[in-house]
RNA sequence: GGGGAAGUGGCGGAACGGUAGACGCAGCCGCCUCAAAAGCGGCCGGGCAAACCCCGUGAGGGUUCAAAUCCCUCCUUCCCUACCA
């Protein structure tokens, strides 16, 4: 009786050995082509879930494949360790955020190791380590020096009870998620990064990111939101004030019947008439308690007349100025021209408040006069538009822009939807922003040699107010310039700051004098394959691109100014058709799967269920199928290990029977599939695993028929080599048992051999008028004439041809012959 | 409202203009066994007694010698985004 396969001890053994022998340690080697494989930095929430497992299994299969294909592979892992959940745990359980985070990292690191993923652990980084975040501070200061980090007032979500700023996701139905008080919008002084300065480049360079999913590029395009138009100015009657508006539809300028401004617009207070003041203030007050979400998507279009009038710079018409809830203070100029006839939002507003609707663009071929039921949004021909009447919309936009420029009333302008990145958080568990406020010198950056500004330990975290501001030991300091008394900035950084450059720190993780060495970065960057979920399509992936362009401008990185050459989004893993969630109790735990089924079976299952980009369903039956496969491989190999030692895997043995040919072909079909899926970057290893099934089926069949065949020895010997990237533990075990002293993962991959892939006969389909009438077994390379002659002999073909005249023949070598009749 | 992706057996999927359903799961039959499990072998889209015949890739149309695959319209599902002027 053969020895049964003990996946538990085998998997443990190889994980230990890979660790001890550091077989995945990466070193720069100018002689070899580098390959940087990276999975997105995980947040240490406490437990690894199957979604992580799918992500890391795919990344690991790719990294191992590329290594075996001769590339110098770097494949690191680390922890995105700062963030709110640690602080929330502190508030809820009185835990120390640091202890809580460290414990989670320890557990998740254990689980990642359990998966047997081949990371270079010597490069592991943890973003809450002072050795890491000091470089966060250093980079912040460089951004500051270049005017890309600045502080200004901005409206934020403020909870008056807890006296803290809330993130958008912590505002539920306009209320604080903790105390359920209404959240206010307050203007507070906040740190921003000037990503808008890079908007144009971030947009344009999307074009060269051909290795990115199109939908992700589209999302970034939409997020950046470039729009071309013009900005121009309305004078305000009886006032020095003017109101500027941005529009992409200058052709509708003569259709303006009112001006709509955001309540926060600075001109409002100055232009509002005595009579209207109370109403306007009440309206503004009522909006203050509403979050942006509420103000925009949930509310009807409301507004109050300011009593003031503006003058249209071209038509000289006077139009009322309204304060409205549907104009955003943060976009454009915070004011828009109201054109009810040609903008749906303006249309709804005008209807509600009985404002006139003036049609100035006529649909092609249509006559005006009929009242509109909705705004007409398309281009057309201008009517009732002064000198511009009769022009097409595009021409009118140009002509009106020219006129405004000539009058000095406006200019062509490009506007971006993207706003500067708000990076300050009034929170404890993050990187302290390295700025000091001196009574005499004002805002002073902390000098580099005083970094890091350490996050103090043992600070009470209550969720009320800013913990750092409340800590005098942290807050009180001396000014680096004048040594006078000063206060430290008490805000910490958004955690997306850390994750915008971590991939560079991996390259040189212990460097004490710089965030990374430029020569080392020159060798490894950019990242050849980045793998992670689509949920970061905009945030993380956009911020990182921004940082990398900044680094490139400084000369700190060279070559491409994009960090991620190719990007792959793996799909989610569902269970019972639903997202796994603790509250539903339908979570599949890594520990349990590894214990009960083994890592290799889990990896094979995750690769096999669906193509990697698709959503997959975890099923107990499905994983059982892969457990069976692992055991089949063992039974197919273990009794033949001695026999297999006689085979040279690098030399194709001769095949003397059909069965042997079939087996040798199955071996090389599997190898070819693995290589092709990797190099094409399609990564559909589900098809590769299917080929491994066929391989093992063919192997077992020949073992029954001809156990002594050299083809059996060869196929047994080659199996671990081919399987190594997908079932790495089983592969190394078999490899060792065949007498090898070094890991199979350091071998070069089996090169697909054309001789093995060749076949003796092919099935040639004979069609008549596109319908299959016969199948011929012919040698490959059979000529069209021979095939035609053979085809005509087929009774089924004859029956169809009968009296008919043959008009043409289509012949695809080794595939098909189509006879077309008249 | 806008944008994107996808619809193939009972299920996951394969087929990147040329044999639709590889491979696996589930199911059924058989072998092995005292028995069960495991394992091994076979069957497994629909119609038909059966077939080498006919039908069949969400629906309808088109391009082509040939369409699951390319194009148009519609339906359905999922994801993202949302008053951006």
């Amino acid at each position: 009786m053969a020895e049964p396969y003990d996946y538990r001890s085998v998997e443990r053994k190889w994980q230990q050995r890979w660790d001890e022998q550091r077989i995945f340690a990466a070193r720069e080697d100018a002689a070899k082509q580098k390959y940087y494989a990276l999975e997105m930095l995980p947040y240490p929430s406490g437990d690894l879930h199957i979604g992580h497992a799918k992500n890391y299994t795919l990344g690991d299969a790719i990294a191992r494949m590329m290594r075996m294909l001769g590339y110098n592979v770097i494949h690191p892992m680390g922890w995105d360790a700062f963030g709110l959940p640690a602080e929330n745990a502190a508030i809820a359980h009185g835990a120390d955020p640091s202890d809580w985070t460290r414990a989670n990292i320890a557990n998740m690191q254990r689980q990642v190791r359990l998966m047997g993923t081949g990371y270079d652990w010597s490069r592991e980084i943890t973003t809450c380590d002072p050795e890491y975040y000091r470089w966060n501070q250093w980079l912040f200061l460089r951004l500051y020096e270049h005017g890309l980090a600045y502080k200004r007032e901005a409206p934020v979500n403020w909870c008056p009870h807890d006296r803290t700023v809330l993130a958008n996701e912590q505002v539920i139905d306009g209320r604080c998620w903790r105390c359920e008080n209404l959240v206010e919008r307050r203007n507070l002084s906040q740190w921003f990064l000037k990503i808008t300065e890079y908007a144009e480049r971030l947009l344009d360079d999307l074009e060269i990111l051909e290795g990115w999913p199109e939908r992700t590029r589209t999302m970034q395009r939409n997020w950046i939101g470039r729009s071309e138009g013009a900005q121009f100015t309305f004078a305000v009657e009886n006032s020095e004030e003017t109101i500027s508006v941005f529009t992409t539809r200058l052709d509708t300028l003569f259709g303006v019947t009112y001006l709509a401004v955001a309540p926060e617009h600075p001109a409002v207070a100055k232009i509002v008439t005595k009579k209207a003041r109370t109403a306007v203030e009440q309206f503004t007050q009522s909006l203050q308690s509403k979050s942006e979400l509420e103000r925009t998507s949930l509310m009807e279009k409301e507004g109050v007349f300011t009593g003031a009038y503006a003058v249209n710079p071209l038509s000289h018409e006077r139009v009322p100025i309204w304060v409205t809830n549907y104009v955003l203070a943060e976009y454009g100029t915070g004011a828009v021209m109201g054109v009810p006839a040609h903008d749906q939002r303006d249309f709804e507003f005008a209807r509600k408040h009985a404002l006139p609707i003036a049609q100035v663009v006529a649909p092609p071929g249509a006559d005006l006069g009929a009242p509109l039921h909705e705004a007409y949004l398309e281009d057309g021909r201008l009517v009732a538009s002064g000198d511009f009447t009769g022009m097409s919309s595009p021409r009118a936009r140009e002509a009106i822009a020219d006129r405004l420029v000539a009058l000095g009333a406006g200019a062509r302008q490009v506007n971006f939807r993207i706003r500067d990145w708000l990076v300050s958080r009034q929170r404890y568990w993050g990187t302290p922003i390295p700025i000091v406020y001196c009574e005499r010198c004002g805002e002073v950056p902390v000098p580099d040699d005083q970094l890091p500004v350490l996050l103090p330990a043992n600070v009470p975290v209550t969720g009320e107010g800013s913990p750092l501001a409340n800590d005098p030991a942290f807050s009180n300091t001396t000014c680096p310039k004048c040594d006078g008394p000063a206060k430290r900035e008490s805000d910490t950084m958004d955690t997306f700051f850390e994750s915008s450059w971590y991939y560079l720190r991996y390259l040189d993780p212990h460097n004490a004098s710089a965030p990374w060495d430029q020569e080392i970065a020159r060798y490894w960057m950019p990242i050849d394959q980045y793998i992670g979920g689509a949920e970061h399509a905009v945030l993380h992936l956009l911020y990182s691109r921004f940082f990398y362009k900044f680094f490139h401008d400084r000369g700190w990185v060279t070559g491409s100014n994009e960090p991620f050459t190719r990007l792959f989004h793996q799909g989610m893993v569902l269970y019972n058709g639903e997202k796994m969630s603790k509250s539903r109790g339908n979570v599949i735990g890594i520990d349990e799967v590894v214990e009960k089924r083994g890592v290799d079976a889990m990896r094979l299952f995750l690769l096999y269920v669906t193509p990697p980009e698709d959503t997959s369903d975890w099923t107990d039956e499905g994983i059982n199928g892969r457990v069976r496969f692992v055991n089949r491989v063992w039974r197919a190999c273990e009794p033949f290990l001695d026999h297999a030692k006689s085979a040279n895997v690098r030399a194709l043995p001769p095949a003397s029977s059909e069965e042997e040919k079939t087996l040798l072909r199955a071996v090389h079909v599997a190898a070819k599939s693995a290589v092709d899926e990797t190099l094409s970057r399609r990564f559909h290893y589900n098809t590769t695993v299917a080929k491994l099934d066929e391989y093992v089926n063919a192997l077992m069949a020949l073992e029954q028929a001809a156990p002594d065949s050299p083809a059996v020895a060869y196929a047994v010997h080659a199996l671990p080599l081919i399987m190594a990237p997908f079932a790495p533990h089983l592969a190394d075990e078999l490899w060792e048992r065949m007498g090898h002293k070094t890991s199979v993962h350091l071998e070069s991959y089996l090169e697909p051999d054309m001789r093995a892939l060749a076949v003796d006969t092919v099935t040639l389909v004979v069609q008549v008028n596109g319908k299959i009438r016969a199948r011929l077994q012919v040698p490959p390379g059979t000529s069209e004439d021979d095939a035609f002659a053979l085809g005509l002999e087929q009774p089924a073909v004859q029956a169809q041809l009968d009296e008919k005249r043959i008009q043409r023949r289509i012949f695809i070598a080794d595939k098909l012959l189509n006879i077309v009749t008249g």
Side-chain angles (χ1 to χ4, degrees):
Chain A
M1 202 48 206
E3 180 188 346
Y5 180 56
D6 179 4
Y7 61 84
R8 285 193 189 90
S9 65
V10 167
E11 289 172 354
R12 202 176 311 124
K13 165 184 159 187
W14 286 103
Q15 286 167 16
Q16 276 171 12
R17 198 170 297 181
W18 296 334
D19 240 13
E20 284 159 13
Q21 300 184 352
R22 301 169 46 92
I23 73 165
F24 302 114
R27 232 167 285 120
E28 294 78 52
D29 180 353
K32 276 172 123 182
Q33 176 85 43
K34 66 93 184 179
Y35 189 85
Y36 191 168
L38 185 65
E39 293 102 57
M40 286 182 184
L41 187 70
Y43 178 76
S45 55
D47 260 304
L48 213 62
H49 55 75
I50 294 286
H52 289 115
K54 180 169 169 177
N55 187 185
Y56 304 155
T57 298
L58 178 63
D60 192 49
I62 294 168
R64 288 181 195 255
M65 273 305 296
M66 292 306 284
R67 190 176 292 111
M68 293 182 81
L69 289 170
Y71 290 80
N72 188 26
V73 172
I74 188 169
H75 190 214
M77 174 51 69
W79 311 99
D80 184 19
F82 274 135
L84 272 175
E87 215 163 322
N88 295 339
I91 296 162
H93 313 113
D96 179 62
S98 174
D99 295 345
W100 185 87
T101 303
R102 300 276 165 196
N104 284 351
I105 289 173
N107 186 50
M108 284 179 69
Q109 209 226 41
R110 176 188 64 78
Q111 290 180 309
V112 172
R113 284 170 182 274
L114 213 53
M115 289 182 38
T117 317
Y119 294 118
D120 179 353
W121 287 106
S122 70
R123 296 172 182 273
E124 181 181 12
I125 58 168
T126 302
T127 60
C128 65
D129 283 345
E131 293 73 38
Y132 185 85
Y133 72 68
R134 75 171 285 188
W135 298 113
N136 254 2
Q137 295 172 335
W138 189 91
L139 290 170
F140 182 92
L141 292 170
R142 299 295 86 78
L143 288 161
Y144 182 80
E145 286 164 9
H146 287 88
L148 294 170
Y150 66 94
K151 200 171 192 185
R152 72 161 160 92
E153 293 241 313
V156 292
N157 301 306
W158 173 261
C159 174
H161 177 264
D162 289 349
R163 289 181 294 122
T164 187
V165 162
L166 300 172
N168 279 336
E169 51 274 18
Q170 293 167 326
V171 180
I172 299 153
D173 295 333
R175 288 172 185 276
C176 173
W177 63 301
R178 285 192 60 242
C179 67
E180 297 193 357
N181 278 290
L182 279 173
V183 167
E184 293 178 5
R185 285 165 62 81
R186 271 207 186 176
N187 283 322
L188 287 179
S189 208
Q190 303 282 315
W191 284 97
F192 288 86
L193 299 186
K194 217 173 197 171
I195 192 170
T196 51
E197 192 159 311
Y198 283 76
E200 192 84 61
R201 287 168 65 190
L202 288 168
L203 181 71
D204 292 347
D205 289 347
L206 286 171
E207 296 304 320
I208 61 172
L209 292 177
E210 283 163 7
W212 281 40
E214 190 50 52
R215 62 181 167 134
T216 305
R217 293 201 278 174
T218 303
M219 279 170 74
Q220 291 211 352
R221 260 181 223 118
N222 293 341
W223 186 266
I224 296 167
R226 184 182 196 274
S227 52
E228 280 183 27
Q231 185 171 321
F232 65 98
T233 307
F234 283 77
V236 179
E237 227 176 46
N238 305 321
S239 167
E240 298 288 286
E241 287 295 319
T242 58
I243 293 177
S244 289
V245 298
F246 173 78
T247 183
T248 57
R249 289 299 304 274
L250 267 187
D251 53 319
T252 65
L253 183 63
F254 284 77
V256 175
T257 59
Y258 67 99
L259 228 53
V261 300
E264 294 86 355
H265 196 284
V268 172
K270 295 171 193 159
I271 62 167
V272 63
T273 59
K274 272 200 189 110
K275 239 172 91 185
R277 187 168 295 274
T278 318
V280 168
E281 277 172 2
Q282 270 179 9
F283 180 71
T284 305
Q285 277 285 310
S286 76
L287 284 178
Q288 211 159 57
S289 66
K290 305 278 202 298
S291 67
E292 186 170 325
L293 178 87
E294 269 195 309
R295 286 172 62 165
T296 55
S297 48
L298 305 175
M299 283 173 64
E300 287 236 4
K301 289 176 180 51
E302 306 283 359
V304 179
F305 178 42
T306 60
Y309 287 85
V311 182
N312 185 318
L314 285 194
S315 70
H316 307 298
E317 240 176 290
R318 72 197 277 273
V319 292
I321 304 172
W322 286 66
V323 174
T324 68
N325 65 346
Y326 77 94
V327 175
L328 306 172
E330 293 85 24
Y331 183 76
T333 61
V336 299
M337 59 183 209
V339 186
H342 304 293
D343 183 287
Q344 190 56 29
R345 295 156 301 183
D346 298 345
F347 183 84
E348 287 166 27
F349 186 79
R351 274 237 167 144
K352 189 154 183 195
H353 298 96
L355 290 159
I357 297 172
Q359 297 183 57
V360 292
V361 178
D367 45 321
L368 297 174
L372 295 170
H373 294 99
E374 55 178 8
Y376 175 71
L377 306 175
E378 308 299 313
D379 280 355
R381 189 173 39 79
L382 268 67
V383 294
S385 295
D387 299 348
F388 308 96
T389 300
M391 288 185 183
S392 68
S393 290
R395 245 194 87 200
R397 282 194 283 269
E398 290 306 312
I400 293 174
D402 287 343
R403 182 75 58 87
L404 286 169
V405 170
L407 290 171
R412 286 186 173 81
Q413 206 192 335
V414 173
N415 224 15
F416 291 94
R417 195 193 87 114
I418 191 172
R419 302 178 204 174
D420 276 341
W421 171 14
L422 198 167
V423 285
S424 47
R425 296 292 124 95
Q426 289 68 46
R427 290 286 173 167
Y428 169 69
W429 193 234
T431 303
I433 291 175
I435 297 286
V436 159
Y437 301 99
C438 170
E439 285 164 24
R440 246 180 298 174
C441 311
E443 189 178 284
V444 181
V446 174
D448 288 356
D449 59 13
Q450 290 176 29
L451 299 181
V453 176
L454 284 173
L455 187 65
N458 303 317
V459 169
V461 178
T462 58
E464 297 193 13
S466 163
L468 294 185
N470 293 340
D471 180 24
F474 174 83
S475 199
N476 296 326
T477 184
T478 55
C479 171
K481 263 193 196 162
C482 71
D483 274 335
K487 293 262 183 206
R488 284 196 189 280
E489 169 63 68
S490 60
D491 285 356
T492 53
M493 295 183 203
D494 181 359
T495 60
F496 280 110
F497 197 106
E498 287 94 88
S499 55
S500 294
W501 68 279
Y502 74 102
Y503 45 86
L504 284 157
R505 188 66 181 171
Y506 277 142
L507 306 180
D508 193 12
H510 308 297
N511 192 329
S513 57
W516 64 86
D517 181 275
Q518 292 174 25
E519 278 309 305
I520 294 176
R522 186 197 300 275
Y523 178 75
W524 290 112
M525 288 301 289
I527 290 155
D528 295 278
Q529 188 65 59
Y530 199 31
I531 309 169
E535 66 274 14
H536 292 116
V538 172
L539 298 168
H540 162 60
L541 291 167
L542 194 60
Y543 296 150
S544 297
R545 295 182 58 222
F546 161 47
F547 268 42
Y548 203 73
K549 287 186 190 306
F550 173 69
F551 303 156
H552 197 269
D553 289 349
R554 303 280 79 72
W556 302 340
V557 293
T558 47
S560 169
N561 63 17
E562 286 289 339
F564 313 122
T565 306
R566 283 178 290 271
L567 171 68
F568 192 95
H569 293 309
Q570 86 280 2
M572 294 184 300
V573 184
L574 306 179
Y575 187 48
N576 297 327
E578 293 180 317
K579 265 188 184 173
M580 293 188 201
S581 78
K582 279 180 191 162
S583 57
R584 285 204 197 93
N586 66 339
V587 173
I588 297 293
I590 301 281
D591 289 347
E592 195 188 333
V593 173
V594 169
E595 171 63 21
K596 288 191 177 157
R597 325 282 190 167
V599 182
D600 284 335
M602 179 180 82
R603 293 170 56 111
L604 288 165
F605 174 71
L606 290 170
L607 293 171
Y608 184 59
V609 248
T610 52
E613 66 272 26
D614 287 1
T615 301
S616 29
D617 242 305
W618 181 272
T619 65
D620 296 331
E621 293 79 12
I623 179 80
N624 278 342
R626 291 304 99 190
V627 171
R628 278 201 281 268
F629 171 77
V630 166
N631 290 327
R632 268 168 77 78
V633 168
W634 183 257
R635 283 198 312 275
C637 293
E638 201 271 339
F640 293 87
L641 290 173
D642 276 333
H643 179 38
K645 283 178 190 168
S646 65
N648 175 3
V649 266
R650 306 296 175 188
L652 192 68
S656 49
S657 69
E658 273 312 306
E659 289 74 18
E660 288 178 339
K661 273 182 199 159
T662 302
L663 175 58
L664 294 178
R665 186 156 192 282
V667 172
H668 285 266
V669 164
K672 185 170 192 306
S673 169
V675 172
D676 288 352
E677 291 299 335
T678 305
L679 296 180
S680 71
R681 299 170 204 121
R682 202 172 76 130
F683 308 131
H684 283 200
Y685 293 129
N686 53 323
T687 60
T688 304
V689 176
K691 309 282 191 245
L692 286 172
D693 276 332
E694 294 183 69
Y695 179 166
V696 176
N697 289 345
L699 174 59
M700 289 187 113
L702 191 61
E703 283 172 352
Q704 292 293 311
D708 298 327
S709 161
V712 166
Y714 175 84
V716 169
H717 208 138
L719 186 51
L721 204 54
I722 293 174
M723 218 173 47
F726 315 109
H729 310 82
L730 174 58
D732 238 347
E733 181 68 16
L734 290 170
W735 192 249
E736 185 188 44
R737 286 182 187 233
M738 283 185 287
H740 296 281
K741 298 283 182 267
T742 53
S743 169
V744 70
H745 302 291
L746 299 174
E747 292 290 325
S748 56
Y749 207 66
L750 187 83
E751 197 175 326
D753 191 321
M754 288 314 290
R755 290 170 301 160
L757 292 167
V759 286
D760 292 339
T761 62
V762 292
T763 307
L764 188 81
V765 169
V766 183
Q767 296 181 334
V768 179
N769 295 326
K771 290 220 170 215
I772 296 159
R773 296 301 170 188
R775 291 176 170 86
L776 306 175
Q777 296 301 316
V778 297
T782 299
S783 72
E784 176 171 351
D785 288 341
D786 291 350
F788 186 61
L790 274 168
L792 284 184
E793 288 170 15
Q794 302 299 311
V797 175
Q798 274 301 329
Q800 290 299 320
L801 254 28
D802 227 358
E803 306 273 290
K804 294 176 197 122
R805 247 188 49 235
I806 294 169
Q807 209 165 50
R808 58 187 287 207
R809 321 188 300 215
I810 285 102
F811 180 71
I812 308 291
D814 298 343
K815 293 242 152 136
L816 137 161
L817 173 71
N818 188 8
I819 301 166
V820 183
T821 64

